[in-house]
Amino acid sequence: FSDVISLRGAFNLCLSGTWTATAHVQRRFTPTGSWMDVQAFTANTELVGDEPRRGVEYRVGVKTGNYTNGSVVAGLYAGGADTIDNA
């Protein structure tokens, strides 16, 4: 999974690369809370989302057992903060 990023307001998700897997966007409402799946993707995508609550944390990645091959290049971006990781 990617590094954790705290989001509020508009954000951008970008998944690219050549891959066969299911990538999940997850969020949690407190730093010690459980990760919850927001959405799953099986192909390259780019979308804009909006998080109205303050301090909500997000990450993107591939769960154990949901990977077949290739490399998913995942990015979450908000304002001046960003994280880009291969998931």
Side-chain angles (χ1 to χ4, degrees):
F1 274 85
S2 68
D3 292 335
V4 174
I5 183 171
S6 183
L7 297 173
R8 182 172 186 204
F11 64 90
N12 179 268
L13 167 71
C14 178
L15 298 174
S16 62
T18 303
W19 51 283
T20 304
T22 301
H24 287 84
V25 174
Q26 296 183 323
R27 72 177 171 187
R28 65 182 177 187
F29 294 101
T30 63
T32 58
S34 298
W35 287 105
M36 297 174 286
D37 292 340
V38 175
Q39 195 164 354
F41 301 90
T42 57
N44 291 343
T45 191
E46 186 160 341
L47 61 82
V48 174
D50 182 65
E51 176 53 62
R53 295 181 180 177
R54 183 173 305 194
V56 179
E57 295 181 330
Y58 281 78
R59 68 182 185 177
V60 60
V62 177
K63 295 179 183 181
T64 302
N66 287 343
Y67 173 82
T68 301
N69 63 44
S71 181
V72 181
V73 180
L76 280 171
Y77 310 94
D82 64 88
T83 180
I84 302 173
D85 286 288
N86 289 331

